[in-house]
Amino acid sequence: MANITTRPVTKLGIVGAGSVGTSMAYAAIIRDTARQIAIYDIDAVRAEAEGLDLAHGTQFTGANTVTGGGNIEDLAGADVIAITAGARQQPGQSRLDLAGANVRILEKLMPQLMEQAPDAVYIMVTNPADVLAVAAQKIAGLPRNRMFSSGTVLDTSRLRLLLAREAHVLMTSVHATIIGEHGDSEFPVWSNATIGPVPIREWEISGRQVFTDEFLAAATDDVVNAAYKVIEGKGATNYAIGLAGVRIIEAVLNAENAVLPVAATLNGEYGISGVALSLPSIVGHNGVYKMLEMPLDEAETGKLMASAETLQGTLTSLGI
Amino acid sequence: MANITTRPVTKLGIVGAGSVGTSMAYAAIIRDTARQIAIYDIDAVRAEAEGLDLAHGTQFTGANTVTGGGNIEDLAGADVIAITAGARQQPGQSRLDLAGANVRILEKLMPQLMEQAPDAVYIMVTNPADVLAVAAQKIAGLPRNRMFSSGTVLDTSRLRLLLAREAHVLMTSVHATIIGEHGDSEFPVWSNATIGPVPIREWEISGRQVFTDEFLAAATDDVVNAAYKVIEGKGATNYAIGLAGVRIIEAVLNAENAVLPVAATLNGEYGISGVALSLPSIVGHNGVYKMLEMPLDEAETGKLMASAETLQGTLTSLGI
Amino acid sequence: MANITTRPVTKLGIVGAGSVGTSMAYAAIIRDTARQIAIYDIDAVRAEAEGLDLAHGTQFTGANTVTGGGNIEDLAGADVIAITAGARQQPGQSRLDLAGANVRILEKLMPQLMEQAPDAVYIMVTNPADVLAVAAQKIAGLPRNRMFSSGTVLDTSRLRLLLAREAHVLMTSVHATIIGEHGDSEFPVWSNATIGPVPIREWEISGRQVFTDEFLAAATDDVVNAAYKVIEGKGATNYAIGLAGVRIIEAVLNAENAVLPVAATLNGEYGISGVALSLPSIVGHNGVYKMLEMPLDEAETGKLMASAETLQGTLTSLGI
Amino acid sequence: MANITTRPVTKLGIVGAGSVGTSMAYAAIIRDTARQIAIYDIDAVRAEAEGLDLAHGTQFTGANTVTGGGNIEDLAGADVIAITAGARQQPGQSRLDLAGANVRILEKLMPQLMEQAPDAVYIMVTNPADVLAVAAQKIAGLPRNRMFSSGTVLDTSRLRLLLAREAHVLMTSVHATIIGEHGDSEFPVWSNATIGPVPIREWEISGRQVFTDEFLAAATDDVVNAAYKVIEGKGATNYAIGLAGVRIIEAVLNAENAVLPVAATLNGEYGISGVALSLPSIVGHNGVYKMLEMPLDEAETGKLMASAETLQGTLTSLGI
Ligand SMILES: NC(=O)c1ccc[n+]([C@@H]2O[C@H](COP(=O)([O-])OP(=O)(O)OC[C@H]3O[C@@H](n4cnc5c(N)ncnc54)[C@H](O)[C@@H]3O)[C@@H](O)[C@H]2O)c1
Ligand SMILES: NC(=O)c1ccc[n+]([C@@H]2O[C@H](COP(=O)([O-])OP(=O)(O)OC[C@H]3O[C@@H](n4cnc5c(N)ncnc54)[C@H](O)[C@@H]3O)[C@@H](O)[C@H]2O)c1
Ligand SMILES: NC(=O)c1ccc[n+]([C@@H]2O[C@H](COP(=O)([O-])OP(=O)(O)OC[C@H]3O[C@@H](n4cnc5c(N)ncnc54)[C@H](O)[C@@H]3O)[C@@H](O)[C@H]2O)c1
Ligand SMILES: NC(=O)c1ccc[n+]([C@@H]2O[C@H](COP(=O)([O-])OP(=O)(O)OC[C@H]3O[C@@H](n4cnc5c(N)ncnc54)[C@H](O)[C@@H]3O)[C@@H](O)[C@H]2O)c1
């Protein structure tokens, strides 16, 4: 009969075997996101150990294989590549300096990745993700649909958790989205938010308005500061971003055309161009098909412009 | 209408918000293992941050809730409690000293846990798991079916990975089990191992015997040393044990009566009593219903006795 | 050790082993909706055969058990009971006559069911489901939260399929709901419908409005007539309602508080009382917690009133 | 940006929109077996209605699409094709006559299918499945790995249900297989059967042997007659075969190399050639990679030869 081979039906590459990259791989094996997962890190020893630990768990998952190591060739032919590799912040180093360090990593990394996986869809997770998505896109010469950041998919999930708990409903029955920068200038589109089909400000429990302006302002603050709070307590955030990343990856691998708030480089949406900021977008087989223009009120439009300016400022400072 | 409540249908408690406890919680939310998950750690700050990071990911999972914190009351009414809390090895401290430190933790912890969850099934993951299962059982006055260690479920998964890769078959088509101590004296029952229905030593690829004595000996070594190798590379093992733990927990919460190699205190099986070592066991609603006596050849019986003696020695040294 | 028992963690009862009841059971075993499923039918022979065929498939599912038969005692202690039993339309029998026949079945059935499962949440699937939900509620003396119909969960799914195909997006990225009667007077709430966050009438492909008034009218017609079309081609509809039913059942068994358009007896919502019609509702552990009042435009409000009158008329004709 | 397309990642074709074909499609959408499912039947009206009913349920499943119709072109490019189309037994028609009628269907069908999906893996479900697999293989000129029958996957599942219930363990902890003809001459390999790792005849409950020779004989009878019993009660068997079929399909689509008892044409295994009978086989990307020779006792070997002769006889009678 035929020789025994194990042809990977779908292949996911992850760059970076840190806490984010390995959590994403863990979520991916448990959810059966891809048939084959390869993790690459310059720290080959760590990547191999992580790959081994993950592989030891595959007895309890679907028919997946997962490996880790220091050979970038292991990513060859990947359908999707998630980039989670990054420099660690050095003492005295500013956030901008860190961004610059990560751009320099991408300058070396992207050409190597493009050699291994020229047709892959690339998802930038390393921070500042929106800025690095633009940088990586330019370095690699990728069309904007095939290089985008995980955007505010995670931030939106944090928002929905807060709202769902307060409304006492299932998270997927909450419709509210964080858009703009994945960072301090991001904001929820309250004008459009609903619980089930009920406008958020009209949601009542026992005749009392639940989502007052005070509540909404506090929730916004909470979301914007959630990462800081988690990092303060445990040194990093990894589990939620692992699942958020996998959700985006699945939209691509399954050709879903799901609407998710990722950040690809804008090209005229809301009159903005050249920066990547998060808008609800159609994500499918070829990456981002379209970034949607939803109705915004005046204040929200202002905030979106402010987000765009912040990001443009960073890009300019970094010379991108 | 009725007041809105969220009644947890099933509740999982995890003690220890370290790398093992949180990986287990992550696997549990992704797999929908329990409706409510509560993590408790004496390090309340870390536990809260971990709980928050995990909860942020629940937008992408089923209808789960997960929290972390420093109040043991949060475990109240849990159906299953997995214990992953442990002291860190101190410089100059022997493994036996570490075991003693963990016994002392259990002396304080178990009575508190029994107050919160008197009817729970308890699964010991903290090492030395087999020794601590016996200690905790005595401290708490629990019947042996409701306090057992995760045993060699993980070790068996490591073995099957090696064999499946070599045989080019799916992991669940490999039938082979590690029994004995979860530790250096553990061993695979080769006399009973098969690939599909084929005895392992008869498995051929192109007429060549694949699983030679040399291969089997090397595979045994690999498995026994797998944890050391992973720890050397990444400082801990957490992902695979997270999945292995969740597999056992599901057997209990779903009343599965699955056969899994966990370790409850033996009571005459193979003539052994008073130590907990891993044998294929029926795991269901009330924990371990029965530890199975499978056919062993003479060498294997000898190894099992040696495992029992090793464990008895440790228990005696610790005064348990 | 303890005696081996298999305690059902969650139990689903299905009344009626017809094409709908068995499809629902099939979906339930595949999705692991409940640990134990019991199907009851007055046609014991058919129910046993269906139970056997389903049970033969459980090798490939989670840890479920499923049985079928003619003893109503098999439903004892069920957490949720879905009613799919119904008389077959006789030649010359009007729809109202059929409704009357089904009411008479419920007059015998409900007291027997209440004896077996006094605390269950009951979901009416048999048609006319909205009418029968009210009848069964009265017969059994159940509070309105614990006896409701599957409403327009299925009809809404049909609508979203049409819209998702046209918009080229994932079905769960379409937000649109059918409300009112599960029947000819039902209607979509276009004023509230969105694709992702974009109002449906603003959705464009290449600058062209996709969802014109003509399209929306045709889609409404399609949905209202979908059941007729399917029945014409295959004699019944069963698969989609099987999944819709299971979706509702899961909301109850998992205590989800999901927002789903089911129909419980209204008590003042939109000024309507005494009839059950579908509105987005919070469904959780105790059944329907709340029926939501979403913003409707004038025409939609009119249609809702018309639906209420139609249903009230049927109830009156049937003397309920 | 790029044009919106929905590229199917994996495509499953099903021939026959009868009770078996549609149950298989239903299981496939619920389990997310393939991204795109197309059902073809000469009865276009029925197939369209079934496709519509199934599609209406996809709101509650993963990102699948499913369609039904009378155009064989809809199967173009399928990765796997399951054949469930068959003639209905006519009054006075013998089983052999029915087989002949189905062979004639295949003579027309296979060339058309090969045109649409020349590289697909084909799974024969229509009865007599083992006979038709050989016929279809010859008609289409397919290598034996790419045309095989679902064999005794279903029969094995029936056996494990009986054994698991009696042993009070999870079905996947039962290791026992039916081999030979999918039909009256099939038989379980008791010499190899275990519960967990315990030989079946050594399984005890409270010191009593559970699986006596009488029990095993009765269980064999039960399995061989299971289909008759179900058909007597409900007119067909469909749900279990739907899941069994999907299990095999997943092994192919996920490149699993799972060991499953399917039936490809033997080529010297146990000295048998030219007939397809079920043996535990490695099933993966290219279909059947290898049919395994497991140890059989003398009586079992005899039964296997008898199965082979029965099948050879039928092939000869049919002139294949
Ligand atoms: N976008 C989001 O929503 C989000 C959320 C959380 C974290 N993050 C970001 O993810 C990144 C990773 O975080 P982490 O906690 O995993 O960090 P980490 O330090 O644990 O891991 C980073 C890994 O990258 C590797 N690496 C560095 N340079 C490399 C190179 N040139 N090639 C390959 N690998 C290289 C390192 O060896 C290290 O293993 C950070 O930038 C973090 O800010 C983003
Ligand atoms: N059984 C297995 O197969 C297996 C596999 C891997 C790890 N382990 C064991 O699991 C244990 C945990 O490993 P880890 O990597 O998560 O360690 P870790 O150090 O990351 O976490 C241990 C946690 O326990 C907490 N803790 C200590 N004392 C406590 C107390 N009295 N009450 C509550 N919490 C307390 C600590 O604060 C810490 O957060 C170790 O003993 C390790 O050897 C077992
Ligand atoms: N609500 C919806 O969205 C929806 C969708 C589809 C079908 N339906 C309805 O579901 C019902 C069932 O449809 P079906 O296709 O399964 O019909 P069916 O005729 O195949 O099955 C009905 C079953 O009910 C049984 N039955 C009759 N009286 C009974 C009694 N007193 N106790 C127990 N069982 C009894 C019959 O023996 C039969 O097996 C119909 O009323 C149909 O209109 C509702
Ligand atoms: N292998 C197994 O384990 C197993 C188990 C159950 C059933 N079966 C077999 O599956 C087959 C189907 O059973 P069913 O209950 O679905 O039967 P069914 O009569 O409900 O459906 C058969 C379908 O095949 C269609 N058909 C007939 N000729 C065709 C052609 N030339 N092209 C396309 N479609 C054609 C018919 O229109 C019909 O819709 C039977 O042969 C049955 O014995 C096998």
Side-chain angles (χ1 to χ4, degrees):
Chain A
M1 292 202 170
N3 282 334
I4 295 188
T5 60
T6 306
R7 190 198 75 137
V9 176
T10 44
K11 181 168 177 176
L12 166 62
I14 296 177
V15 183
S19 64
V20 171
T22 58
S23 295
M24 204 172 288
Y26 195 46
I29 59 169
I30 301 177
R31 285 167 72 110
D32 237 330
T33 300
R35 177 66 182 75
Q36 188 183 1
I37 300 170
I39 310 174
Y40 160 71
D41 200 296
I42 39 166
D43 182 343
V45 172
R46 179 177 183 181
E48 269 167 48
E50 293 287 1
L52 208 54
D53 190 16
L54 288 160
H56 288 154
T58 50
Q59 161 83 7
F60 312 106
T61 70
N64 304 296
T65 60
V66 52
T67 53
N71 298 318
I72 203 163
E73 292 77 20
D74 291 345
L75 305 180
D79 298 296
V80 175
I81 289 187
I83 300 177
T84 75
R88 292 235 157 220
Q89 202 153 358
Q90 304 299 325
Q93 196 182 34
S94 74
R95 287 178 88 174
L96 201 65
D97 290 347
L98 180 66
N102 281 337
V103 171
R104 280 187 297 282
I105 288 180
L106 291 173
E107 279 163 359
K108 282 184 80 169
L109 190 60
M110 287 310 302
Q112 294 177 292
L113 289 176
M114 289 301 289
E115 224 171 280
Q116 301 302 328
D119 300 323
V121 168
Y122 287 86
I123 302 169
M124 180 62 66
V125 180
T126 308
N127 277 322
D130 303 335
V131 170
L132 297 183
V134 176
Q137 196 205 330
K138 294 207 173 149
I139 294 165
L142 278 163
R144 66 185 182 121
N145 58 300
R146 288 214 284 126
M147 168 48 93
F148 54 94
S149 94
S150 53
T152 51
V153 173
L154 169 58
D155 318 65
T156 294
S157 161
R158 287 169 176 156
L159 180 71
R160 293 186 187 186
L161 178 69
L162 287 177
L163 303 180
R165 280 187 180 167
E166 196 69 16
H168 293 291
V169 300
L170 188 65
M171 281 183 79
T172 48
S173 295
V174 171
H175 308 288
T177 307
I178 298 275
I179 66 171
E181 183 196 8
H182 169 62
D184 295 349
S185 71
E186 68 186 11
F187 61 97
V189 185
W190 294 129
S191 69
N192 202 288
T194 65
I195 308 293
V198 180
I200 194 158
R201 287 192 170 85
E202 296 177 20
W203 187 262
E204 300 188 342
I205 292 187
S206 321
R208 181 182 56 81
Q209 185 194 16
V210 174
F211 297 105
T212 57
D213 285 350
E214 294 71 45
F215 185 95
L216 298 184
T220 307
D221 276 5
D222 256 31
V223 169
V224 173
N225 294 309
Y228 300 121
K229 205 171 144 189
V230 173
I231 291 171
E232 211 177 279
K234 59 175 274 198
T237 87
N238 57 312
Y239 290 129
I241 182 64
L243 270 164
V246 155
R247 177 65 197 89
I248 302 167
I249 292 162
E250 289 169 351
V252 176
L253 288 177
N254 300 335
E256 291 189 8
N257 292 349
V259 175
L260 296 168
V262 298
T265 307
L266 272 66
N267 189 15
E269 291 85 354
Y270 294 103
I272 306 169
S273 288
V275 296
L277 46 72
S278 292
L279 293 175
S281 307
I282 304 180
V283 183
H285 176 57
N286 278 320
V288 174
Y289 284 107
K290 199 176 177 177
M291 305 189 72
L292 303 176
E293 296 187 53
M294 62 197 290
L296 300 179
D297 67 23
E298 210 173 311
E300 290 159 353
T301 309
K303 286 177 190 168
L304 191 67
M305 297 305 150
S307 253
E309 273 161 41
T310 304
L311 284 164
Q312 185 55 64
T314 309
L315 285 171
T316 308
S317 308
L318 290 167
I320 298 165
Chain B
M1 294 203 169
N3 282 332
I4 295 188
T5 59
T6 305
R7 191 198 75 136
V9 175
T10 44
K11 181 168 178 176
L12 166 62
I14 296 177
V15 182
S19 65
V20 172
T22 59
S23 295
M24 204 174 287
Y26 195 46
I29 60 170
I30 301 177
R31 285 167 72 110
D32 236 331
T33 301
R35 177 66 182 76
Q36 188 183 0
I37 301 169
I39 311 174
Y40 159 72
D41 200 297
I42 40 167
D43 182 344
V45 173
R46 178 176 183 181
E48 270 167 46
E50 294 287 2
L52 208 55
D53 190 16
L54 288 160
H56 288 154
T58 51
Q59 162 82 9
F60 312 105
T61 70
N64 304 297
T65 61
V66 52
T67 53
N71 299 317
I72 202 163
E73 292 78 18
D74 292 344
L75 304 181
D79 298 297
V80 175
I81 289 188
I83 301 178
T84 75
R88 291 235 157 220
Q89 201 152 1
Q90 303 299 324
Q93 196 182 34
S94 74
R95 288 178 87 176
L96 200 65
D97 290 346
L98 181 67
N102 281 336
V103 171
R104 281 186 298 281
I105 288 179
L106 290 173
E107 279 163 356
K108 281 184 81 170
L109 189 62
M110 287 311 301
Q112 293 177 293
L113 289 175
M114 289 301 288
E115 225 171 277
Q116 300 302 328
D119 300 323
V121 168
Y122 287 85
I123 302 169
M124 180 62 67
V125 181
T126 308
N127 276 324
D130 302 336
V131 170
L132 296 182
V134 176
Q137 195 204 332
K138 293 206 173 150
I139 294 166
L142 278 163
R144 67 185 181 121
N145 56 300
R146 288 213 284 127
M147 167 51 91
F148 54 94
S149 92
S150 52
T152 51
V153 173
L154 168 59
D155 318 65
T156 294
S157 161
R158 288 170 175 155
L159 179 71
R160 293 186 188 185
L161 178 70
L162 287 177
L163 303 180
R165 281 188 180 167
E166 196 69 14
H168 294 290
V169 299
L170 187 65
M171 281 183 77
T172 48
S173 296
V174 172
H175 308 288
T177 307
I178 298 275
I179 65 171
E181 182 198 9
H182 169 63
D184 295 349
S185 71
E186 69 187 9
F187 61 97
V189 185
W190 294 129
S191 68
N192 202 288
T194 65
I195 309 292
V198 180
I200 194 158
R201 287 193 170 84
E202 297 178 19
W203 188 262
E204 299 187 343
I205 293 187
S206 321
R208 181 183 55 81
Q209 185 193 17
V210 175
F211 297 105
T212 57
D213 286 350
E214 294 70 46
F215 185 95
L216 298 184
T220 306
D221 276 3
D222 256 31
V223 169
V224 173
N225 294 311
Y228 300 119
K229 206 173 145 188
V230 173
I231 290 171
E232 211 179 279
K234 59 175 273 200
T237 88
N238 58 312
Y239 289 129
I241 182 65
L243 270 164
V246 155
R247 178 67 197 87
I248 302 168
I249 292 163
E250 289 168 351
V252 177
L253 288 177
N254 301 334
E256 289 187 10
N257 292 348
V259 175
L260 296 167
V262 298
T265 306
L266 270 67
N267 189 14
E269 290 85 354
Y270 293 102
I272 306 169
S273 289
V275 297
L277 46 71
S278 291
L279 294 176
S281 307
I282 304 179
V283 183
H285 176 57
N286 278 319
V288 174
Y289 284 108
K290 198 177 177 176
M291 305 190 72
L292 303 176
E293 296 186 53
M294 62 198 289
L296 300 178
D297 67 24
E298 211 173 313
E300 290 159 352
T301 308
K303 286 179 189 166
L304 190 67
M305 296 305 150
S307 253
E309 274 161 42
T310 304
L311 283 164
Q312 186 56 61
T314 309
L315 285 171
T316 308
S317 308
L318 290 167
I320 299 164
Chain C
M1 293 202 166
N3 281 334
I4 295 188
T5 60
T6 306
R7 191 198 76 137
V9 176
T10 45
K11 181 168 178 176
L12 166 62
I14 296 178
V15 183
S19 66
V20 172
T22 57
S23 295
M24 204 174 286
Y26 195 46
I29 59 170
I30 301 177
R31 285 167 72 110
D32 237 331
T33 300
R35 176 64 182 78
Q36 188 183 359
I37 299 170
I39 310 175
Y40 159 71
D41 199 297
I42 39 165
D43 182 345
V45 172
R46 178 176 184 180
E48 269 167 46
E50 294 287 2
L52 208 55
D53 190 16
L54 288 160
H56 288 154
T58 51
Q59 161 84 7
F60 312 106
T61 69
N64 305 295
T65 61
V66 53
T67 54
N71 298 317
I72 203 163
E73 292 78 20
D74 292 344
L75 304 181
D79 298 296
V80 175
I81 289 188
I83 300 177
T84 76
R88 290 235 158 220
Q89 201 152 359
Q90 303 300 324
Q93 196 182 34
S94 73
R95 288 178 88 176
L96 201 65
D97 290 347
L98 181 67
N102 281 337
V103 171
R104 280 186 299 280
I105 288 180
L106 291 173
E107 279 163 358
K108 281 183 81 169
L109 190 61
M110 288 309 303
Q112 293 177 292
L113 290 175
M114 291 299 289
E115 226 171 276
Q116 300 303 328
D119 299 324
V121 168
Y122 286 86
I123 302 169
M124 180 63 66
V125 180
T126 308
N127 276 324
D130 303 336
V131 170
L132 297 183
V134 176
Q137 196 205 330
K138 293 208 173 147
I139 294 165
L142 279 163
R144 66 185 182 123
N145 57 299
R146 287 211 285 127
M147 167 50 90
F148 54 94
S149 92
S150 53
T152 51
V153 173
L154 169 59
D155 318 65
T156 294
S157 161
R158 288 170 175 155
L159 179 71
R160 293 187 188 186
L161 178 70
L162 287 177
L163 303 179
R165 280 189 181 166
E166 195 70 16
H168 293 290
V169 299
L170 188 65
M171 280 183 78
T172 48
S173 295
V174 172
H175 308 289
T177 307
I178 299 275
I179 66 171
E181 182 198 8
H182 169 61
D184 296 348
S185 71
E186 68 186 10
F187 61 97
V189 186
W190 293 131
S191 69
N192 202 288
T194 65
I195 308 292
V198 179
I200 194 159
R201 287 193 170 84
E202 296 178 21
W203 187 262
E204 300 187 343
I205 293 186
S206 320
R208 180 183 58 81
Q209 185 194 15
V210 175
F211 297 106
T212 58
D213 286 350
E214 294 70 46
F215 185 95
L216 298 184
T220 306
D221 275 3
D222 256 31
V223 169
V224 173
N225 295 311
Y228 300 119
K229 205 172 145 189
V230 173
I231 290 172
E232 211 177 279
K234 58 175 274 200
T237 87
N238 59 313
Y239 290 128
I241 182 65
L243 270 164
V246 155
R247 177 66 198 87
I248 302 168
I249 292 162
E250 289 169 351
V252 176
L253 288 177
N254 301 335
E256 290 188 8
N257 293 348
V259 175
L260 295 168
V262 297
T265 306
L266 271 67
N267 189 14
E269 289 86 353
Y270 294 103
I272 305 169
S273 287
V275 296
L277 46 72
S278 292
L279 294 175
S281 306
I282 304 179
V283 183
H285 176 57
N286 279 318
V288 174
Y289 285 107
K290 200 178 177 174
M291 305 189 72
L292 303 176
E293 296 186 52
M294 63 197 289
L296 299 180
D297 67 24
E298 211 173 311
E300 290 159 353
T301 309
K303 285 179 190 167
L304 190 67
M305 297 305 152
S307 252
E309 274 161 42
T310 303
L311 284 165
Q312 185 56 62
T314 309
L315 285 172
T316 308
S317 309
L318 290 168
I320 299 165
Chain D
M1 292 205 167
N3 281 334
I4 295 187
T5 59
T6 306
R7 190 197 76 137
V9 175
T10 44
K11 180 168 178 176
L12 166 62
I14 296 177
V15 183
S19 65
V20 172
T22 59
S23 295
M24 204 174 286
Y26 195 46
I29 60 170
I30 301 177
R31 283 167 74 110
D32 237 332
T33 300
R35 176 66 182 75
Q36 188 184 0
I37 300 170
I39 310 175
Y40 159 72
D41 199 297
I42 39 165
D43 183 344
V45 172
R46 178 175 184 182
E48 270 167 45
E50 294 288 1
L52 208 54
D53 190 18
L54 288 160
H56 288 154
T58 51
Q59 162 82 8
F60 312 105
T61 70
N64 303 297
T65 61
V66 54
T67 53
N71 298 317
I72 203 164
E73 292 78 20
D74 292 345
L75 304 181
D79 299 296
V80 174
I81 289 188
I83 300 178
T84 76
R88 291 233 158 223
Q89 199 151 0
Q90 303 301 325
Q93 196 181 34
S94 74
R95 288 179 86 174
L96 200 65
D97 290 346
L98 181 67
N102 282 336
V103 171
R104 281 186 298 281
I105 288 180
L106 290 173
E107 279 164 358
K108 282 183 80 170
L109 191 60
M110 288 310 302
Q112 293 177 292
L113 289 175
M114 290 300 289
E115 225 171 277
Q116 300 302 328
D119 300 324
V121 168
Y122 286 86
I123 302 169
M124 180 63 65
V125 181
T126 307
N127 276 326
D130 303 336
V131 171
L132 297 183
V134 176
Q137 196 204 331
K138 293 207 173 148
I139 295 166
L142 278 163
R144 66 186 183 122
N145 57 300
R146 287 213 284 126
M147 167 51 89
F148 54 94
S149 93
S150 52
T152 52
V153 173
L154 168 59
D155 318 65
T156 294
S157 160
R158 287 170 176 155
L159 180 71
R160 293 186 188 186
L161 178 70
L162 287 177
L163 303 180
R165 280 188 181 166
E166 196 70 15
H168 294 289
V169 299
L170 188 65
M171 280 183 78
T172 48
S173 295
V174 172
H175 308 290
T177 306
I178 299 274
I179 66 172
E181 183 198 7
H182 168 63
D184 296 348
S185 71
E186 69 187 11
F187 61 97
V189 186
W190 294 130
S191 69
N192 202 288
T194 64
I195 308 292
V198 180
I200 194 158
R201 287 192 171 85
E202 297 178 18
W203 187 261
E204 300 187 342
I205 294 186
S206 320
R208 180 183 57 82
Q209 186 194 16
V210 174
F211 297 106
T212 57
D213 286 349
E214 294 70 45
F215 185 94
L216 297 185
T220 306
D221 276 2
D222 256 32
V223 169
V224 173
N225 295 309
Y228 299 119
K229 205 173 146 188
V230 173
I231 290 172
E232 210 178 280
K234 59 174 276 199
T237 87
N238 58 313
Y239 290 130
I241 181 64
L243 271 163
V246 155
R247 177 67 198 86
I248 302 168
I249 293 163
E250 289 168 352
V252 177
L253 288 177
N254 301 335
E256 290 188 8
N257 292 348
V259 175
L260 296 167
V262 298
T265 306
L266 271 66
N267 189 14
E269 290 86 353
Y270 294 103
I272 306 170
S273 289
V275 296
L277 47 72
S278 292
L279 294 176
S281 306
I282 303 180
V283 183
H285 176 57
N286 279 318
V288 174
Y289 284 108
K290 198 177 179 175
M291 306 189 72
L292 302 176
E293 296 187 54
M294 62 198 290
L296 299 179
D297 65 25
E298 211 173 310
E300 290 159 352
T301 308
K303 286 178 189 168
L304 190 67
M305 296 305 150
S307 253
E309 274 161 41
T310 304
L311 284 164
Q312 186 56 61
T314 309
L315 286 171
T316 307
S317 308
L318 290 167
I320 298 164

